[in-house]
Amino acid sequence: RAKDIVESEQTPEDIEEELLDTTMVAEYNDEIFLHLRKKEIEMLPVPDYMARQSELQWSMRSVLMDWLVQVHQRFNLLPETLFLTVNYIDRFLSYKVVSMGKLQLVGATAIFIAAKFEEITAPSVQEIVYMVDSGYSVDEILKAERFMLTILDFDLGWPGPMSFLRRISKADEYDLETRTVAKYFL
Amino acid sequence: MENYQRFEKSAEGAYGYKARELKYPNRIVALKKARFNREGDGVPATAMREISLLKEMKHPNIVKLLNIVQARHNLYLVMEFLDMDLKKYIDSLPVSEGGRARPIPNGFRTRLGLDEAMVKKFMAQLLEGVHYCHSHRILHRDLRPQSLLIDRDGTLKLADFGLAQAIRIPLRGYSHQIVALWYRSPEILLGGPQYSTSVDMWSVGAIFAEMCTRQPLFPGDSEIDEIFQIFRLLGTPDEENWPGVTAYPDYKATFPKWKRVRTILVPGLESAGCELLDALLEYDPATRLSAKQACLHHYFRNGSSYYSGRIHPR
């Protein structure tokens, strides 16, 4: 296994350095990544949920994502927040049939929840209403928030791809080019 | 909420309202209320994180989340009921044992006291709970005696995950509005941009000392007073015992240079205990003892699980 190969080639200095590198929480890496992989699988959406949606199509999801990327950029949010948003939307749509007119509400609510979970300061509900061009009211978003949290059963800690990428690029000795390209693909 | 019947207000537990489940009247639970913020931001972020993180954790030393109930204006976390928190527990000790002889809840059949063996048991349970959090990438960020609950059999459980955060690896900057002042680590007090699992370990150290002496170790009344109380007791840190300390945003070259006077922080504590305490109150976050290492410390001669009651239930 790759892990054994890496471990057999580590010098005592490498190990020492890794232990001192608190920002990688090296000591708990094995346990944490085991846990993350488990969560990753538990929190997968249903892959073919679109087949069960009567009004929606994959192309509409793309349009929604383009809009969310803009919102995300506008608020200067962390990349993790965007990945969480996508996971919340896909999981929500795996369980609920949504009309075309409500799809943007699903997206807006998902990014509202994701930002609260992940960021130090999240956009307010008024800012979200502004971003949907007042297409939905404060009240609608807050209602949708409670509904979405119920459907997601408050399982919000999806690991997302960033942690795994960082782990791999550390093992890879941070090849900057590979890392930038990989980030772009994500 | 119609499934729960609240006890009278005086019967409040350590953790919100005490209530009884109507379907199973023998099941006593605690209801922790989070208010929906109508005009503002809906479900509070603290409640979201607390619920989502508690759902991930299953450990005998972490409080159990049993259910979530959404009422019209409030969200209720239904938790297992524990009678006391560690602060009340210490206050209920007789004056002769350093407490204030405050009344204990009826549920406690006997006083369990807080002798050396009990301190060791609580420490083992606390460390195993924290170890579990950290190995599931969760920082508690609010460890203090009030957030540790104690049941009638003397089992300690971590609660109050409202400030907890699922960390990302590697770490990035997180909020500094965390951890009650008395249990706040020096790297946060000095405005460090990043912090890690070691912030919880500092809190564990301060709690350890408080269990032994019944007095908070660093009861500062402001951030600067807190910093100076720490420096006065442990000596002002320098580049030697904390490489990089002078680069912290709130480090001042004009800080008074105290020398550590008391070598033993808690008189009467066995020497292995003193060593453990010193290792938890290590200035440099990178070398501060982790929960994983602390569970293996020789203060727990037979391994922490022996004292936490996991292997030999009393």
Side-chain angles (χ1 to χ4, degrees):
Chain A
R1 288 187 316 140
K3 195 184 155 202
D4 299 325
I5 299 170
V6 171
E7 276 176 0
S8 66
E9 288 182 356
Q10 267 180 333
T11 62
E13 289 80 42
D14 285 346
I15 294 168
E16 174 88 342
E17 190 183 309
E18 181 144 305
L19 284 175
L20 288 176
D21 186 359
T22 52
T23 61
M24 286 294 286
V25 214
E27 198 179 5
Y28 295 111
N29 258 336
D30 290 352
E31 288 105 319
I32 290 178
F33 278 97
L34 210 64
H35 179 64
L36 290 183
R37 279 171 57 189
K38 204 178 111 214
K39 299 262 1 152
E40 186 79 17
I41 291 161
E42 282 171 5
M43 297 173 76
L44 280 178
V46 178
D48 60 346
Y49 69 76
M50 209 49 100
R52 278 182 276 149
Q53 295 286 346
S54 46
E55 291 186 22
L56 305 181
Q57 283 161 13
W58 285 115
S59 61
M60 298 172 190
R61 179 183 181 275
S62 313
V63 175
L64 179 67
M65 293 307 159
D66 287 344
W67 174 71
L68 281 167
V69 170
Q70 284 174 24
V71 175
H72 177 263
Q73 213 157 29
R74 178 74 185 264
F75 287 124
N76 247 327
L77 303 174
L78 297 158
E80 282 89 347
T81 306
L82 185 62
F83 294 125
L84 283 182
T85 307
V86 176
N87 174 263
Y88 298 168
I89 293 170
D90 286 335
R91 280 166 58 212
F92 184 82
L93 295 179
S94 301
Y95 303 119
K96 283 287 152 196
V97 174
V98 170
S99 70
M100 216 192 307
K102 293 282 188 219
L103 184 60
Q104 196 186 18
L105 179 59
V106 172
T109 308
I111 201 166
F112 181 51
I113 295 175
K116 273 201 258 183
F117 183 76
E118 190 68 29
E119 309 273 339
I120 296 176
T121 41
S124 69
V125 67
Q126 282 83 6
E127 287 173 301
I128 299 287
V129 170
Y130 175 77
M131 290 310 294
V132 294
D133 217 3
S134 302
Y136 309 103
S137 67
V138 165
D139 217 47
E140 276 177 294
I141 292 190
L142 294 183
K143 269 209 191 90
E145 179 188 34
R146 295 176 57 171
F147 185 55
M148 183 175 278
L149 286 171
T150 310
I151 297 301
L152 300 180
D153 207 11
F154 284 87
D155 287 327
L156 305 177
W158 188 60
M162 291 299 278
S163 295
F164 296 106
L165 171 62
R166 284 173 175 160
R167 178 73 189 114
I168 284 169
S169 66
K170 166 147 175 124
D172 210 20
E173 313 215 311
Y174 297 107
D175 181 292
L176 197 65
E177 205 173 311
T178 317
R179 188 173 150 78
T180 314
V181 172
K183 264 192 174 170
Y184 175 76
F185 283 139
L186 290 182
Chain B
M1 287 316 294
E2 51 281 0
N3 297 330
Y4 297 94
Q5 178 198 7
R6 249 155 76 167
F7 282 74
E8 67 281 15
K9 206 166 162 22
S10 61
E12 239 169 76
Y15 208 76
Y17 307 106
K18 184 174 178 180
R20 185 199 301 284
E21 232 170 296
L22 287 185
K23 247 192 261 167
Y24 313 94
N26 290 331
R27 205 181 287 174
I28 308 291
V29 296
L31 298 176
K32 185 179 182 182
K33 185 163 89 176
R35 188 177 286 279
F36 292 126
N37 197 339
R38 275 279 123 195
E39 305 81 64
D41 290 312
V43 179
T46 50
M48 263 187 205
R49 290 195 187 133
E50 177 157 28
I51 295 171
S52 137
L53 298 181
L54 275 176
K55 280 193 67 185
E56 282 187 36
M57 291 189 286
K58 285 179 182 60
H59 190 271
N61 299 114
I62 294 174
V63 73
K64 254 199 235 54
L65 177 66
L66 304 169
N67 198 4
I68 305 151
V69 180
Q70 302 204 33
R72 190 177 307 176
H73 300 293
N74 299 303
L75 178 72
Y76 291 89
L77 279 65
V78 183
M79 333 255 318
E80 66 177 314
F81 182 82
L82 284 87
D83 303 82
M84 276 219 243
D85 63 49
L86 181 61
K87 169 88 173 58
K88 293 208 177 83
Y89 188 92
I90 292 174
D91 283 348
S92 75
L93 296 170
V95 179
S96 60
E97 289 176 32
R100 300 188 202 176
R102 293 273 164 81
I104 50 168
N106 302 333
F108 273 67
R109 282 164 298 225
T110 47
R111 284 176 188 276
L112 296 161
L114 194 55
D115 58 7
E116 269 179 50
M118 204 64 192
V119 170
K120 193 172 283 197
K121 179 177 175 189
F122 282 161
M123 273 305 281
Q125 295 178 333
L126 171 58
L127 284 165
E128 288 183 1
V130 173
H131 179 207
Y132 183 88
C133 292
H134 289 175
S135 56
H136 287 71
R137 58 93 176 78
I138 290 167
L139 300 189
H140 186 283
R141 306 200 300 182
D142 194 21
L143 291 174
R144 55 200 159 99
Q146 291 88 339
S147 60
L148 305 176
L149 306 186
I150 312 256
D151 74 8
R152 55 193 61 184
D153 304 315
T155 302
L156 177 147
K157 300 188 187 215
L158 276 60
D160 263 329
F161 282 77
L163 290 180
Q165 173 101 25
I167 52 171
R168 299 292 183 171
I169 296 178
L171 294 170
R172 52 159 203 263
Y174 293 106
S175 169
H176 278 89
Q177 301 308 310
I178 59 155
V179 193
L181 190 60
W182 297 353
Y183 307 93
R184 201 176 294 168
S185 67
E187 66 269 26
I188 305 174
L189 290 165
L190 294 178
Q194 286 193 336
Y195 53 81
S196 178
T197 49
S198 44
V199 298
D200 284 339
M201 301 317 294
W202 179 274
S203 310
V204 169
I207 293 166
F208 184 23
E210 185 164 345
M211 279 199 274
C212 298
T213 64
R214 323 325 195 194
Q215 301 293 332
L217 185 61
F218 304 118
D221 55 22
S222 63
E223 289 202 14
I224 193 68
D225 184 44
E226 183 69 21
I227 294 177
F228 283 178
Q229 289 212 16
I230 294 170
F231 288 2
R232 250 178 253 136
L233 196 67
L234 301 178
T236 306
D238 52 33
E239 284 292 324
E240 193 137 313
N241 58 14
W242 185 358
V245 62
T246 51
Y248 273 79
D250 297 331
Y251 177 88
K252 304 273 183 300
T254 51
F255 281 156
K257 302 282 181 284
W258 283 289
K259 288 262 176 292
R260 177 163 174 171
V261 187
R262 270 164 63 189
T263 45
I264 289 174
L265 300 176
V266 174
L269 178 62
E270 62 180 291
S271 64
C274 291
E275 281 169 36
L276 174 63
L277 180 58
D278 277 341
L280 292 168
L281 298 178
E282 176 69 52
Y283 271 126
D284 184 358
T287 50
R288 191 173 305 148
L289 204 69
S290 69
K292 198 186 214 171
Q293 295 160 342
C295 287
L296 303 172
H297 194 273
H298 64 266
Y299 173 62
F300 306 111
R301 203 160 293 115
N302 304 320
S304 63
S305 53
Y306 177 86
Y307 303 95
S308 63
R310 198 105 341 113
I311 290 178
H312 300 272
R314 266 177 247 179

CSV table of all heavy atoms in Angstrom, one decimal, chain B residues 2-32:
chain,number,residue,atom,x,y,z
B,2,GLU,N,-45.4,18.7,22.1
B,2,GLU,CA,-46.5,18.1,22.9
B,2,GLU,C,-46.1,16.7,23.4
B,2,GLU,O,-46.7,16.1,24.3
B,2,GLU,CB,-47.8,17.9,22.1
B,2,GLU,CG,-47.7,17.3,20.8
B,2,GLU,CD,-47.2,18.3,19.7
B,2,GLU,OE1,-46.9,19.5,20.0
B,2,GLU,OE2,-47.1,17.9,18.5
B,3,ASN,N,-45.0,16.2,22.9
B,3,ASN,CA,-44.5,14.9,23.4
B,3,ASN,C,-43.7,15.0,24.7
B,3,ASN,O,-43.3,14.0,25.2
B,3,ASN,CB,-43.6,14.2,22.3
B,3,ASN,CG,-44.4,13.9,21.1
B,3,ASN,OD1,-45.7,13.7,21.2
B,3,ASN,ND2,-43.8,13.9,19.9
B,4,TYR,N,-43.4,16.2,25.1
B,4,TYR,CA,-42.6,16.4,26.2
B,4,TYR,C,-43.3,17.2,27.3
B,4,TYR,O,-44.1,18.1,27.0
B,4,TYR,CB,-41.3,17.1,25.9
B,4,TYR,CG,-40.4,16.3,24.9
B,4,TYR,CD1,-40.5,16.5,23.6
B,4,TYR,CD2,-39.6,15.3,25.4
B,4,TYR,CE1,-39.7,15.8,22.7
B,4,TYR,CE2,-38.8,14.6,24.5
B,4,TYR,CZ,-38.9,14.8,23.2
B,4,TYR,OH,-38.2,14.1,22.3
B,5,GLN,N,-43.1,16.8,28.5
B,5,GLN,CA,-43.7,17.5,29.6
B,5,GLN,C,-42.6,18.1,30.5
B,5,GLN,O,-41.8,17.4,30.9
B,5,GLN,CB,-44.6,16.6,30.5
B,5,GLN,CG,-45.2,17.3,31.6
B,5,GLN,CD,-45.7,16.3,32.7
B,5,GLN,OE1,-45.4,15.1,32.6
B,5,GLN,NE2,-46.4,16.8,33.7
B,6,ARG,N,-42.7,19.4,30.6
B,6,ARG,CA,-41.6,20.1,31.3
B,6,ARG,C,-41.8,20.0,32.8
B,6,ARG,O,-42.9,20.0,33.3
B,6,ARG,CB,-41.6,21.6,30.9
B,6,ARG,CG,-40.3,21.9,30.2
B,6,ARG,CD,-40.6,23.1,29.3
B,6,ARG,NE,-40.6,24.3,30.1
B,6,ARG,CZ,-40.5,25.5,29.5
B,6,ARG,NH1,-40.4,25.6,28.2
B,6,ARG,NH2,-40.5,26.6,30.2
B,7,PHE,N,-40.7,19.8,33.5
B,7,PHE,CA,-40.8,19.9,35.0
B,7,PHE,C,-40.9,21.3,35.4
B,7,PHE,O,-40.7,22.3,34.6
B,7,PHE,CB,-39.5,19.3,35.6
B,7,PHE,CG,-39.5,17.8,35.6
B,7,PHE,CD1,-39.3,17.1,34.4
B,7,PHE,CD2,-39.7,17.1,36.8
B,7,PHE,CE1,-39.3,15.7,34.4
B,7,PHE,CE2,-39.7,15.7,36.8
B,7,PHE,CZ,-39.5,15.0,35.6
B,8,GLU,N,-41.2,21.6,36.7
B,8,GLU,CA,-41.2,23.0,37.2
B,8,GLU,C,-39.9,23.6,36.9
B,8,GLU,O,-38.9,22.9,36.8
B,8,GLU,CB,-41.7,23.0,38.6
B,8,GLU,CG,-40.7,22.4,39.6
B,8,GLU,CD,-40.7,20.9,39.7
B,8,GLU,OE1,-41.3,20.3,38.8
B,8,GLU,OE2,-40.1,20.4,40.6
B,9,LYS,N,-39.9,24.9,36.9
B,9,LYS,CA,-38.7,25.6,36.5
B,9,LYS,C,-37.5,25.4,37.4
B,9,LYS,O,-36.4,25.4,37.0
B,9,LYS,CB,-39.0,27.1,36.4
B,9,LYS,CG,-38.1,27.8,35.4
B,9,LYS,CD,-38.5,29.2,35.0
B,9,LYS,CE,-37.5,30.1,34.4
B,9,LYS,NZ,-36.3,29.5,33.8
B,10,SER,N,-37.9,25.2,38.7
B,10,SER,CA,-36.8,25.0,39.7
B,10,SER,C,-36.0,23.8,39.4
B,10,SER,O,-34.9,23.6,39.9
B,10,SER,CB,-37.4,25.0,41.1
B,10,SER,OG,-38.3,23.9,41.2
B,11,ALA,N,-36.6,22.9,38.7
B,11,ALA,CA,-35.9,21.6,38.4
B,11,ALA,C,-35.0,21.7,37.2
B,11,ALA,O,-34.8,20.7,36.5
B,11,ALA,CB,-36.9,20.5,38.3
B,12,GLU,N,-34.5,22.9,37.0
B,12,GLU,CA,-33.7,23.0,35.8
B,12,GLU,C,-32.4,22.2,36.0
B,12,GLU,O,-31.8,22.2,37.0
B,12,GLU,CB,-33.3,24.5,35.6
B,12,GLU,CG,-33.7,25.0,34.3
B,12,GLU,CD,-33.6,26.5,34.2
B,12,GLU,OE1,-32.5,27.0,34.1
B,12,GLU,OE2,-34.7,27.2,34.3
B,13,GLY,N,-32.0,21.5,34.9
B,13,GLY,CA,-30.8,20.8,35.0
B,13,GLY,C,-29.6,21.6,34.6
B,13,GLY,O,-29.7,22.8,34.5
B,14,ALA,N,-28.5,21.0,34.4
B,14,ALA,CA,-27.3,21.7,34.0
B,14,ALA,C,-27.4,22.3,32.6
B,14,ALA,O,-26.7,23.1,32.2
B,14,ALA,CB,-26.1,20.8,34.1
B,15,TYR,N,-28.4,21.8,31.9
B,15,TYR,CA,-28.4,22.0,30.5
B,15,TYR,C,-29.8,22.3,30.0
B,15,TYR,O,-30.4,21.5,29.3
B,15,TYR,CB,-27.9,20.7,29.9
B,15,TYR,CG,-27.2,20.9,28.6
B,15,TYR,CD1,-25.9,21.3,28.6
B,15,TYR,CD2,-27.9,20.5,27.4
B,15,TYR,CE1,-25.3,21.5,27.4
B,15,TYR,CE2,-27.2,20.6,26.2
B,15,TYR,CZ,-25.9,21.1,26.2
B,15,TYR,OH,-25.2,21.2,25.0
B,16,GLY,N,-30.4,23.4,30.4
B,16,GLY,CA,-31.7,23.8,30.0
B,16,GLY,C,-32.8,23.1,30.8
B,16,GLY,O,-32.5,22.7,31.9
B,17,TYR,N,-34.0,23.0,30.3
B,17,TYR,CA,-35.1,22.5,31.0
B,17,TYR,C,-35.0,21.0,31.2
B,17,TYR,O,-34.7,20.2,30.3
B,17,TYR,CB,-36.4,22.8,30.3
B,17,TYR,CG,-36.6,24.2,30.0
B,17,TYR,CD1,-36.5,24.6,28.6
B,17,TYR,CD2,-36.9,25.1,30.9
B,17,TYR,CE1,-36.6,25.9,28.3
B,17,TYR,CE2,-37.0,26.5,30.6
B,17,TYR,CZ,-36.9,26.9,29.3
B,17,TYR,OH,-37.1,28.2,28.9
B,18,LYS,N,-35.5,20.6,32.4
B,18,LYS,CA,-35.6,19.1,32.6
B,18,LYS,C,-37.1,18.8,32.2
B,18,LYS,O,-38.0,19.5,32.4
B,18,LYS,CB,-35.5,18.9,34.1
B,18,LYS,CG,-35.6,17.4,34.5
B,18,LYS,CD,-35.3,17.4,36.0
B,18,LYS,CE,-35.4,15.9,36.5
B,18,LYS,NZ,-35.0,15.9,38.0
B,19,ALA,N,-37.2,17.7,31.4
B,19,ALA,CA,-38.5,17.3,30.9
B,19,ALA,C,-38.7,15.8,30.9
B,19,ALA,O,-37.7,15.1,31.1
B,19,ALA,CB,-38.7,17.9,29.5
B,20,ARG,N,-39.9,15.4,30.7
B,20,ARG,CA,-40.2,14.0,30.7
B,20,ARG,C,-40.9,13.7,29.4
B,20,ARG,O,-41.7,14.5,28.9
B,20,ARG,CB,-41.2,13.8,31.9
B,20,ARG,CG,-41.6,12.4,32.2
B,20,ARG,CD,-42.9,12.3,32.9
B,20,ARG,NE,-42.9,13.0,34.2
B,20,ARG,CZ,-42.4,12.5,35.4
B,20,ARG,NH1,-41.7,11.4,35.3
B,20,ARG,NH2,-42.5,13.1,36.5
B,21,GLU,N,-40.5,12.6,28.8
B,21,GLU,CA,-41.1,12.2,27.6
B,21,GLU,C,-42.5,11.6,27.9
B,21,GLU,O,-42.6,10.7,28.7
B,21,GLU,CB,-40.2,11.2,26.9
B,21,GLU,CG,-40.0,11.5,25.4
B,21,GLU,CD,-38.9,10.7,24.8
B,21,GLU,OE1,-37.7,10.7,25.3
B,21,GLU,OE2,-39.2,9.9,23.9
B,22,LEU,N,-43.6,12.0,27.3
B,22,LEU,CA,-44.9,11.5,27.7
B,22,LEU,C,-45.1,10.1,27.3
B,22,LEU,O,-45.7,9.3,28.0
B,22,LEU,CB,-46.0,12.4,27.0
B,22,LEU,CG,-46.1,13.8,27.7
B,22,LEU,CD1,-47.3,14.5,27.1
B,22,LEU,CD2,-46.3,13.7,29.2
B,23,LYS,N,-44.5,9.7,26.2
B,23,LYS,CA,-44.7,8.3,25.7
B,23,LYS,C,-43.9,7.3,26.7
B,23,LYS,O,-44.4,6.2,26.9
B,23,LYS,CB,-44.2,8.1,24.3
B,23,LYS,CG,-45.3,7.8,23.3
B,23,LYS,CD,-44.8,7.3,22.0
B,23,LYS,CE,-44.8,8.5,21.0
B,23,LYS,NZ,-44.0,8.3,19.8
B,24,TYR,N,-42.8,7.8,27.1
B,24,TYR,CA,-42.0,7.0,28.0
B,24,TYR,C,-41.7,7.8,29.3
B,24,TYR,O,-40.7,8.4,29.4
B,24,TYR,CB,-40.7,6.5,27.4
B,24,TYR,CG,-40.8,6.0,26.0
B,24,TYR,CD1,-40.7,6.8,24.9
B,24,TYR,CD2,-41.1,4.7,25.8
B,24,TYR,CE1,-40.8,6.4,23.6
B,24,TYR,CE2,-41.2,4.2,24.5
B,24,TYR,CZ,-41.1,5.0,23.4
B,24,TYR,OH,-41.2,4.5,22.1
B,25,PRO,N,-42.7,7.8,30.3
B,25,PRO,CA,-42.6,8.7,31.4
B,25,PRO,C,-41.3,8.5,32.2
B,25,PRO,O,-40.9,9.4,33.0
B,25,PRO,CB,-43.8,8.4,32.2
B,25,PRO,CG,-44.7,7.6,31.3
B,25,PRO,CD,-43.8,6.9,30.3
B,26,ASN,N,-40.6,7.4,32.1
B,26,ASN,CA,-39.4,7.2,32.8
B,26,ASN,C,-38.2,7.8,32.2
B,26,ASN,O,-37.2,7.9,32.8
B,26,ASN,CB,-39.2,5.7,33.0
B,26,ASN,CG,-40.2,5.1,33.9
B,26,ASN,OD1,-40.7,5.7,34.8
B,26,ASN,ND2,-40.5,3.8,33.7
B,27,ARG,N,-38.4,8.2,31.0
B,27,ARG,CA,-37.2,8.8,30.3
B,27,ARG,C,-37.2,10.3,30.6
B,27,ARG,O,-38.0,11.1,30.1
B,27,ARG,CB,-37.3,8.5,28.8
B,27,ARG,CG,-36.0,8.5,28.2
B,27,ARG,CD,-36.1,8.2,26.7
B,27,ARG,NE,-36.4,6.9,26.4
B,27,ARG,CZ,-36.7,6.5,25.1
B,27,ARG,NH1,-36.7,7.3,24.1
B,27,ARG,NH2,-37.0,5.2,24.9
B,28,ILE,N,-36.1,10.7,31.3
B,28,ILE,CA,-36.0,12.1,31.6
B,28,ILE,C,-35.0,12.7,30.6
B,28,ILE,O,-33.9,12.1,30.4
B,28,ILE,CB,-35.4,12.3,33.1
B,28,ILE,CG1,-36.3,11.5,34.0
B,28,ILE,CG2,-35.3,13.7,33.4
B,28,ILE,CD1,-37.6,12.1,34.3
B,29,VAL,N,-35.3,13.8,30.1
B,29,VAL,CA,-34.4,14.5,29.1
B,29,VAL,C,-34.2,15.9,29.5
B,29,VAL,O,-34.8,16.5,30.4
B,29,VAL,CB,-35.0,14.4,27.7
B,29,VAL,CG1,-35.1,13.0,27.2
B,29,VAL,CG2,-36.3,15.1,27.6
B,30,ALA,N,-33.2,16.5,28.8
B,30,ALA,CA,-33.0,18.0,29.0
B,30,ALA,C,-33.3,18.6,27.7
B,30,ALA,O,-33.0,18.1,26.6
B,30,ALA,CB,-31.5,18.2,29.3
B,31,LEU,N,-34.0,19.7,27.7
B,31,LEU,CA,-34.4,20.5,26.5
B,31,LEU,C,-33.6,21.7,26.5
B,31,LEU,O,-33.7,22.6,27.3
B,31,LEU,CB,-35.9,20.8,26.5
B,31,LEU,CG,-36.9,19.6,26.6
B,31,LEU,CD1,-38.3,20.2,26.7
B,31,LEU,CD2,-36.7,18.8,25.3
B,32,LYS,N,-32.8,21.9,25.4
B,32,LYS,CA,-32.0,23.1,25.3
B,32,LYS,C,-32.6,23.9,24.2
B,32,LYS,O,-32.8,23.4,23.1
B,32,LYS,CB,-30.5,22.7,24.9
B,32,LYS,CG,-29.7,24.0,24.9
B,32,LYS,CD,-28.2,23.6,24.5
B,32,LYS,CE,-27.4,24.9,24.5
B,32,LYS,NZ,-26.0,24.6,24.2
